[in-house]
Amino acid sequence: MNNSEQKLKKYPGEKVEIRFFDTDCKEDMIRLRRIVDHKDVQEMMDSVAGMSKRDRYEWADEKGAYGRYYMFAVSGTEAIFGKEQPDEIGQVQGFVYLYAGSEEKKIVNRIVRLGLIKRDEVADNKVFEISFAKLPKAPGGQISSAVRQACLELKRLDRIKRGTGVFVFCFIDEKNTGSMRVVEACGFVRRGRHFYEEDSKEMSALYVLEYAKLREIEKKKENG
């Protein structure tokens, strides 16, 4: 499967595109390894530390399995690279991962009990956590564009699959101001701070996606 066949919906006004990873493409998988092997990514995402080749391939192949696991590749565009770096157009610049397992639901249920999230916000929705990272030395400004589109695609694909709706959250280390700026540019609202896991030693910032705010941001971008 080539890159053009993997493209998802392109949202007007956005500078990058998202697509699924192509596990048959050597360059895609080399770039994914470069991302997860970077020390900053491993520091912020414990789950990628020590990933085997098989783990990476299985992860990259998550294209909506069970309607709960979406691994999107951030794809370079002419708007970012122009005529100066044409080889980067269509190439992986980072990833956005949305996942809805039992652990994520457990985390949110704990936060609901604490009052940081209202129970009716979750209701019957599938509870997704989001994480993202960029390729080392990739130009800035690409991840926020990709996160917005990934969250919109998540909702669109869930609707196509006749899902019950989605709820998206994330915890961010308070030292990671760059990631905070990313989610704030995508319609996420900070709800406070708490421990990500019950045995965590430090609190992190809790962000929740407000789709109405995301759609407002996207409309402004579309209208220029």
Side-chain angles (χ1 to χ4, degrees):
M1 183 182 291
N2 60 43
N3 288 350
S4 64
E5 290 174 327
Q6 295 184 77
K7 287 182 180 178
L8 298 169
K9 182 177 177 180
K10 177 69 173 72
Y11 289 83
E14 292 292 356
K15 291 184 177 180
V16 305
E17 295 180 2
I18 60 171
R19 61 175 174 83
F20 290 122
F21 279 86
D22 183 355
T23 52
D24 291 326
C25 175
K26 184 177 180 180
E27 184 63 22
D28 269 22
M29 301 313 297
I30 287 172
R31 288 178 178 236
L32 179 57
R33 181 174 183 175
R34 285 174 58 197
I35 296 167
V36 301
D37 282 353
H38 195 275
K39 61 181 179 60
D40 291 344
V41 176
Q42 295 208 0
E43 183 180 341
M44 295 298 174
M45 297 176 63
D46 294 340
S47 59
V48 305
M51 261 191 165
S52 67
K53 181 178 180 179
R54 180 176 178 178
D55 290 336
R56 288 193 303 275
Y57 272 75
E58 289 181 350
W59 190 31
D61 209 29
E62 291 186 358
K63 302 172 183 176
Y66 310 108
R68 293 183 178 274
Y69 303 94
Y70 294 89
M71 180 64 161
F72 297 106
V74 183
S75 185
T77 62
E78 188 174 353
I80 297 292
F81 295 100
K83 297 179 181 178
E84 297 175 1
Q85 293 179 278
D87 291 347
E88 287 298 309
I89 296 172
Q91 298 294 350
V92 172
Q93 305 295 315
F95 70 77
V96 180
Y97 185 43
L98 284 145
Y99 43 104
S102 58
E103 190 60 32
E104 287 68 49
K105 185 125 188 185
K106 188 186 301 181
I107 290 168
V108 164
N109 284 339
R110 175 163 50 86
I111 300 165
V112 166
R113 290 195 295 272
L114 293 167
L116 295 176
I117 296 172
K118 295 178 182 177
R119 190 168 296 281
D120 60 4
E121 290 182 87
V122 181
D124 295 325
N125 293 335
K126 280 182 278 190
V127 174
F128 284 86
E129 187 171 359
I130 187 170
S131 59
F132 48 84
K134 78 179 188 75
L135 182 75
K137 299 184 179 179
Q142 299 188 85
I143 297 299
S144 56
S145 177
V147 167
R148 285 191 292 271
Q149 294 178 82
C151 290
L152 290 167
E153 280 297 270
L154 174 70
K155 191 143 191 170
R156 185 179 75 90
L157 294 171
D158 187 70
R159 214 164 33 238
I160 289 170
K161 294 180 179 181
R162 299 183 179 179
T164 56
V166 298
F167 175 90
V168 185
F169 78 100
C170 63
F171 276 92
I172 300 176
D173 188 308
E174 292 183 300
K175 298 188 291 292
N176 192 353
T177 55
S179 289
M180 290 184 185
R181 286 195 295 270
V182 166
V183 297
E184 287 167 1
C186 300
F188 284 78
V189 175
R190 182 165 174 164
R191 293 294 184 86
R193 58 200 299 266
H194 201 70
F195 299 104
Y196 175 62
E197 296 178 332
E198 291 181 296
D199 59 352
S200 296
K201 295 180 180 178
E202 295 183 3
M203 287 188 174
S204 299
L206 167 65
Y207 281 87
V208 170
L209 175 60
E210 294 186 2
Y211 268 101
K213 192 165 187 177
L214 171 57
R215 285 191 291 270
E216 183 180 327
I217 293 168
E218 201 62 27
K219 187 175 181 179
K220 286 180 180 177
K221 290 198 165 290
E222 185 176 345
N223 295 332

